[in-house]
Structures are given as structure tokens and as C-alpha cells.
Amino acid sequence: MEFRREFLGAVAGGTALTALPTRSVRASQSAGTLTESVTVSADWDAPRVRFDYEYDVPDSVSSFAISAMSAGFTVESNGFERDGRKYVWDGTDSPRQTVFLDGDSSAVGDELTLQNWGYVAADSAFVWVPSLDVGSVVGDLDAVSRSRSFDGEGVVTPSFAFAGPNTTAREFVSDAHATLVFSDEVSRDIDTGALFEELAFQQTHLSPRRRYTDTALFVLPRERISPRGLASARDMVVSAAAVPSRSLNGVLPHEFAHVMFGTFGGGRMRWLTEASAEYYGRLTLFNRGLASFTEFHNTLDTNEDYDAGYTDIVLAQPYTWRDTSAHYRKGSQVLAALDAEIQRRSDGDYALIDVLADTSVPLTSYQGFENAVANYAGERMDDWLDQYVNSDGLPSVPYDPEYYVLPGVSRDTLDVSTTTESPTTHSTSTESATDPTTSTDASSGSTPGFGVGTGLAALVGGTVAALRKKTE
């Protein structure tokens, strides 16, 4: 693994960093490209968080509009006229819009949940950054170049903003940067090095489907986040009580898998988003030596007698598993079995990770998934997939560790001992308990957020890759 560490602030006790270096710099303006610059700041007297959106419009763009904010926000516009659910540019030079999120707003609460934008307290705040949809009115807007910055003591990424005292560290691993952001409310005994190691291991031994050069991990106090972890397209936020991972119930590897793989659309492929994160999160932890193969196998391999709820569940039919954890539990079991099948049929030349990492293959449709699997298995597996994905079949997971040692990991470093018989006892994941809600990227065509609300869905849609809920 290639490491280059950059300390941007004290990692354990010391002066907090006031801002994270801007991730995306303002590009030179090209024809049809509008520039949006967002500056985030906090007013602790209110308290409230402020977002200043400034637009630099090239001469080649004659008109554009931005989406209106959902309820709970205060908006001040300069250079826009309200037209229903959008604001239309009136031709004013350097138009801007200021959005306020007050501490007593209906859009926030005392903690970050799936139903609100975050929390705004007396001296700290953590919120989603509203991603205002920018559209063309007459078709002369080709692209939008975006940048984010924080004015004052805080950190902002394209997805999240933390305001208040914090400690930030940054590390370069395998061609990508990882940034850790700790609220000052978080205990100082968290092992920063261990968190970097977790991220580095996945980035080194898994092949990401999403190409990114920068990711950020925000660590919040347990009482400030009700799900144990959430992930956006490139960034994550987890409870301090959940890091670093010390068992197969790890939160961070699941969330980072979301960043690496993204989402796989809605409808018949909606299950794959959580199933892939659950499977590869656990596979990563086994390969890091945090559990024996038997323990890893037990967390994946269940049967219909153990969980009767799986009997009538069809992964490709989301309505059959609504309000259950089947897309996590059953989905990860199906992927574990599929991984072994691909390796067996390809004589070990390929594995499931090759399917997921191949961006030239569309996985947003069931047929596309069938074709992608066939490409790497070396033969059609439609009957297998129909039995376990498109109907209520439940495959067993091979009790053979050879299928579950990641490339680059030495088998000698793992506890791959097995009993003479396949285990019959099963342990339940505390991460994948009831109602594990996920929202998906709007570009996939599905609606983000079951409980988030349509306003949040529309505004966050371009940013969110996977919104993950885990019960405590």
C-alpha cells in the first residue's frame, strides 16, 4: 500500500482545523458551462447554518433555473424570480441565492436521521449540503462546474458540512485521498491510524466501480446520529461508537463499499446496492483477520428455517421485502454464493468483484446483470440467477475459504480452519436489523429516501449514492 499522510490539524487534542482544502477548484469557463460556488458558514448567535450560492454565467448561456428549497429553509434571492418549484434567472450579473437552515427549523433535529437534513446546535452543526438542481431553460447550458468552501471553523464536502471545532487529518492511499473529520465532541481515544488502515485495505484489495480521487469520513458523537452510518456518493458519516471496526458487524467497511460501488438503480436491481455493501463489508473484515472463516460464513449463510421471513421474498421484487432486511441478509448470502459460482465456472480467473468493477457493463437492469455475470463466469447463469434473484430460492454458501480470500491477501494470515461439517448455528447481524432504509442516486431513476421526503430527495438526489440505516 502506498501512503502519504498530510496532517491538516491536530489528530488528537490540539488546534482544530478551520477548513478542508477545496476539493474541486473552479475551472476555466468553457462555452455553455456555468460555475456554481457555494460558501458555507455558521451563525452561532441564531444558531443557523448559511449556504451562499454564487453563479458565474458565461455569455453563451442565455437562461437557466435552479430548484426551489423544500420546507424548513429560509431563502434570499438576488437575480432570480420564483416560478412555482424553481427560481428562474432574470439576467442579473452574478446572481446569487442564500439559504439559511435555522436550529429551530422543521428540517433539522437534535441529531442526523433519515428524516431530516442534520442538526444545528449551539456550537456545532452537521448537515447535508443542499445540491440545487440547475437546469437549462432553452437548452444552451451544457454543464455546471461546482466548488465548495467553508468560511470559518468547519469542513465542507460536496455532500456534508460540519460547523464547529474539529480535528482533521488527510492521507493519500493508492491514488486517492482520504480525509478524517472528528467533531471535538468525539472522544480523543479513537485510533486515527486504524481508520486509515480500514479505508486503505478496501481500496487496495477491492476494485471500485466508482472512480473517485477523494473521500471524507466524518465521525460524530453517538448521540448526534441515529443511524450508525450513512454514505453519499463520495463521503461517509459514522457514529464514534462504531469505529474502528473490531468485528464482522463493522459499519465503516459497509459504508465505504457504498462509496466504491455506488448504486445499481431501482426496480429489479435495487437489492444489489445494500447486498453488495453488506457482502463486501463482511468479506473485507474476514480478510483483515478480524474473524475466522467459520464466523464469516455463519454471518452470511442462513436458511429458510432460521429466518422464515425469507420464504416468500424475491430480491428482484422489492415489494416482497419492504420493511425487512432481506436486501441486506438474503442479498449478501446470494452474492456470496454467486461469487463462488463465478470463480468455479471461470476456473478461478474471475470473481464477482470483476462484475461489479466493470463500468462498461450496465448493472441497472436485471438483463444487464445477467449479461455481466455471463461475461465473467464464461457461460450463461440465467437459470441460477432466476432461481435465487428472480424467485424465492435461497442458495447455500460454499463452506470453502478458497472462494473468499481477496487478491493480494495471504491465506496464511487468515483463520481459515473449518469444522468437518458445515455449521448449523447462525448469528444475526446487528447492522442489518429491521427497516434498513436506503435511498439511491436520482440518476438511476429511483426515488431517493423512503422517509426523507420528496423535497430532500430532489435536492440531494444528484449527490446521494446510498443512504444507509443501521440500528444500534
Side-chain angles (χ1 to χ4, degrees), residues 2 13 40 44 62 70 89 94 110 178 202 212 223 250 286 315 320 333 352 388-389 439:
E2 178 189 358
V40 185
W44 300 123
S62 60
S70 58
W89 178 46
S94 301
D110 295 328
Q202 274 180 283
Y212 57 89
E223 62 273 13
F286 162 59
L315 290 173
T320 67
Q333 178 172 339
L352 176 64
Y388 300 120
V389 177
S439 68

Side-chain angles (χ1 to χ4, degrees), residues 196-207:
F196 278 127
E197 287 289 343
E198 284 202 53
L199 299 176
F201 188 93
Q202 274 180 283
Q203 190 158 307
T204 301
H205 296 287
L206 294 179
S207 300

Side-chain angles (χ1 to χ4, degrees), residues 270 309 312-315 317-327 433-437 450:
R270 182 175 143 200
D312 299 321
I313 281 174
V314 179
L315 290 173
Q317 298 174 4
Y319 71 88
T320 67
W321 44 263
R322 186 177 293 117
D323 298 325
T324 78
S325 60
H327 48 325
T434 58
D435 191 27
T437 303
F450 306 142

Side-chain angles (χ1 to χ4, degrees), residues 209-273:
R209 185 175 184 85
R210 298 183 65 92
R211 307 304 171 188
Y212 57 89
T213 58
D214 219 324
T215 185
L217 168 64
F218 293 83
V219 182
L220 299 181
R222 180 174 183 172
E223 62 273 13
R224 289 299 191 186
I225 177 172
S226 63
R228 299 180 70 186
L230 300 173
S232 73
R234 287 186 296 182
D235 305 316
M236 302 153 282
V237 51
V238 300
S239 162
V243 295
S245 300
R246 297 183 178 88
S247 72
L248 286 172
N249 290 333
V251 175
L252 179 54
H254 178 108
E255 301 307 336
F256 194 38
H258 277 314
V259 172
M260 298 182 78
F261 301 135
T263 59
F264 299 95
R268 297 173 74 190
M269 292 308 297
R270 182 175 143 200
W271 66 277
L272 187 58
T273 295

Side-chain angles (χ1 to χ4, degrees), residues 134-206:
V134 180
S136 176
V137 175
V138 296
D140 55 6
L141 175 59
D142 296 329
V144 179
S145 174
R146 291 182 167 93
S147 66
R148 305 284 186 267
S149 63
F150 200 99
D151 182 11
E153 192 171 27
V155 175
V156 62
T157 71
S159 305
F160 303 117
F162 176 81
N166 66 86
T167 299
T168 303
R170 189 168 170 85
E171 189 168 285
F172 185 81
V173 181
S174 303
D175 299 324
H177 278 99
T179 303
L180 305 182
V181 182
F182 298 86
S183 156
D184 269 13
E185 300 173 88
V186 171
S187 172
R188 296 297 187 175
D189 61 3
I190 291 179
D191 188 342
T192 304
L195 294 182
F196 278 127
E197 287 289 343
E198 284 202 53
L199 299 176
F201 188 93
Q202 274 180 283
Q203 190 158 307
T204 301
H205 296 287
L206 294 179

